[in-house]
Every structure is written in structure tokens, then in C-alpha cells.
Amino acid sequence: MVKKVLAKCYIYLILLLMYLPILVLVVFSFTASTNVGDWTGFSFKLYVDLFKNQDLMRAVWNTLLIAFVSAIVSTILGTLGAIGTYYSSKKTRKVIETMNQIPVVNAEIVIALSLAVLSVALSWKFSFFTLLVGHVVLTIAFVYLNVKPKLTQMDPFAYEAALDLGAKPRYALYKVVLPDIMPGILSGFMISFTLSLDDFVITQYLKEPSFDTISTYIQGIIAKHPIPPEVRALTTIIFLVVLVVVVGTTVYNNYKAKNFVKKRLKKGELE
């Protein structure tokens, strides 16, 4: 009994430490005070100022742009790599899976520095392209790790059966393999998008000077000035969007699982 109480207290303490700072920012995003802790009355002034701050809004757009483009590229390359590895020989599969672990466990600063040195050695100017390469290198391994389990769960004979029935390899890939692994592809896209969205180190080393994301913009501001109050409004919007996506995904998955169980019960497959 005592252990259960202590375990619950520990969990609640961790949750409090994790979410209390976020809740404080959310609350004080609805007041016009410049300092957190000074409540000057309920107001949407910070949200109005947020959309008037052109530099910050440009940083938001740049952040979404690089995150979306890199997530698409990583998802395509990671999915194709996972499929190709799945149908490769055991030895080839083992080598590729070992290499895939390197970006996952490697320090981000090492990836950033190595890509920066490579860009200089190849006489590449730091641009959107170099930044895109860095974000793809960071995220592609996570796409592979999300797609791989879905491939192992797939019916191994479905693809071959489609070929035997006259389907061309490309058609069988689109109509048989991809639909089965689509949940893994979507989760890989979301993870790569999220990793790219809040990246700072790789962005700082590989971006062109005029290109700022949210993290690099805020870092540049706090080096000389206090954090702009409207950043609290931006933080609140990001938190609420993430919360809605997580809750919506959970509700949808639960609804889908319940319908699947009901259908199997009707068919008499479950007792």
C-alpha cells in the first residue's frame, strides 16, 4: 500500500514539474504584462502583437517550411529504404540496420559539425539545401524505425501473390505493401516533423544567416534582449495544437480499435 502511494506521488510530482511551467506560460499569455508573474488583467494583446511581429512570424513560417519539406523527404527515403532492406538478404539487412542506428544514438552536435565541415569542403554555400540535408539526416533513421515493424507484421506472401496474379512490381507495391504499412509511414512522418520542428543545433550550423527558425530567432533575441512577451502566446498556440492532435489521434485509434473488435465479434471470431 505504501509503495503504491509513493509511486503515485512520484508520478504526480514528475508530471507537475513537466507541465507546471507550460501552464504558467499559458496563463500569462492572456495578460499584457511584459514579465511573467505580473498579472495586469485578462487580455488578448499578446496574441495581437504576435501576428504583428513580422520577424517572429517569418521565423514561424520558416520553421514549418523546413519541418514539412524535410519530413516529406525523410518519409519517402526512409520508407523506400525500409522496404528495400526488408526484401534484402540477411547480411545486407544487418549492415543497413546497424548503420541506421548511428544517427539515432549519435550526438546532434556531431552530425551538425560533420555536415558543416562537409559543406565547406565541397564549397557549398549554407542555404536551405544544406539545412534540408541536415534535417533529413537527423530524421530519416526514425522513419525507418517506424516503418520496419509494420513490414514485419505484414503478410509476407501478399506481395508475391500479387505478382503471381499478374500485377507489376510497382503496382503491387502501391496496392499491397504501402496500404499495410501506412500507419508506420504516418507515425514516421509525424516524428520526423516534430524532430525537425524543434531542432536548434543542426539549424544553427547549416542555415544561411538570413534564415531563422523559431529556436534560432529566440536564441538571437535573448543574446541581447529579453524574450518578447508575444512568445508566450506563440508557445500557448503550439501547445494547444499539439494537445488537440494527440487527443484527436488517441480518440480516433480507440474508436477504430473498438469497431474492429465489434466486427470480429459479429463474425464470431472472438468469444
Side-chain angles (χ1 to χ4, degrees), residues 97-111 137-139 141-142 145 195:
E97 289 181 353
T98 302
M99 293 176 61
N100 187 74
Q101 297 298 324
I102 296 176
V104 177
V105 301
N106 200 11
E108 198 172 333
I109 185 66
V110 176
I111 298 176
V137 170
L138 174 67
T139 58
F142 294 92
L145 292 175
L195 289 173

Side-chain angles (χ1 to χ4, degrees), residues 65-118:
L65 177 63
I66 186 63
F68 187 73
V69 174
S70 65
I72 290 177
V73 175
S74 296
T75 302
I76 294 173
L77 296 179
T79 301
L80 293 177
I83 295 173
T85 304
Y86 178 74
Y87 287 105
S88 299
S89 63
K90 250 184 194 180
K91 187 177 180 180
T92 303
R93 190 184 311 137
K94 188 175 181 179
V95 171
I96 294 176
E97 289 181 353
T98 302
M99 293 176 61
N100 187 74
Q101 297 298 324
I102 296 176
V104 177
V105 301
N106 200 11
E108 198 172 333
I109 185 66
V110 176
I111 298 176
L113 280 173
S114 60
L115 290 175
V117 171
L118 177 64

